[in-house]
Amino acid sequence: MIGNRKHPASGFTLLELLVVMVIIGLLAAYVAPKYFSQIGKSETKTAAAQIDALAKALDQYRLDIGHYPSSEQGLAALFSRPANEVKWDGPYLKKKVPLDPWGKAYVYKQPGEHGDYDLLSYGRDGQPGGTGEDADITNW
């Protein structure tokens, strides 16, 4: 009775495996672009949140000192005391000034063209202007 089986051998045929692989590939092709577009949106939101936090620290600096840091002093003045600033009561940030989500420094100009100061990231491409993930993220 060794050669006589009541149940045939179980398993998948090559055709069944290929069909499953094609279905998985189609699902991945549909989901991957949506997933990666969400990553880009989260980087933009992160940059906007960091700019907001830096703007609040700059406002606190101005309240203590009486003016915003100069362009030469830059955002570093929020973490370490600039020379000749007796009223400095920082640090105004818990950590050093972060880079934007794309690894580039935030641009700080004082006086600004759009207000007392301009604070911005040039987005993913690092160039002025752009659309989508390449668009500038600003404080104005």
Side-chain angles (χ1 to χ4, degrees), residues 82-100:
N84 302 323
E85 293 293 1
V86 180
K87 296 180 183 178
W88 191 85
D89 193 27
Y92 300 95
L93 298 172
K94 292 181 181 180
K95 299 178 182 177
K96 289 187 178 183
V97 178
L99 297 175
D100 71 11

Side-chain angles (χ1 to χ4, degrees), residues 2-3 27 30 34-35 41-42 60 66 71 81 99 105 130 133:
I2 293 176
L27 286 172
Y30 177 73
K34 293 186 181 285
Y35 173 75
K41 288 179 186 175
S42 68
Q60 185 62 48
S71 293
R81 179 190 303 269
L99 297 175
E133 292 177 55

Side-chain angles (χ1 to χ4, degrees), residues 71-128:
S71 293
E72 292 77 29
Q73 291 170 325
L75 296 173
L78 299 173
F79 189 73
S80 55
R81 179 190 303 269
N84 302 323
E85 293 293 1
V86 180
K87 296 180 183 178
W88 191 85
D89 193 27
Y92 300 95
L93 298 172
K94 292 181 181 180
K95 299 178 182 177
K96 289 187 178 183
V97 178
L99 297 175
D100 71 11
W102 300 278
K104 298 173 183 77
Y106 285 101
V107 177
Y108 173 74
K109 299 175 189 172
Q110 198 283 324
E113 298 172 14
H114 303 277
D116 292 329
Y117 62 88
D118 290 348
L119 180 59
L120 62 129
S121 166
Y122 287 127
R124 181 180 63 182
D125 65 353
Q127 302 296 320

Side-chain angles (χ1 to χ4, degrees), residues 58-81:
L58 285 164
D59 289 340
Q60 185 62 48
Y61 180 99
R62 185 186 60 78
L63 287 172
D64 288 349
I65 306 292
H67 58 84
Y68 290 106
S70 67
S71 293
E72 292 77 29
Q73 291 170 325
L75 296 173
L78 299 173
F79 189 73
S80 55
R81 179 190 303 269

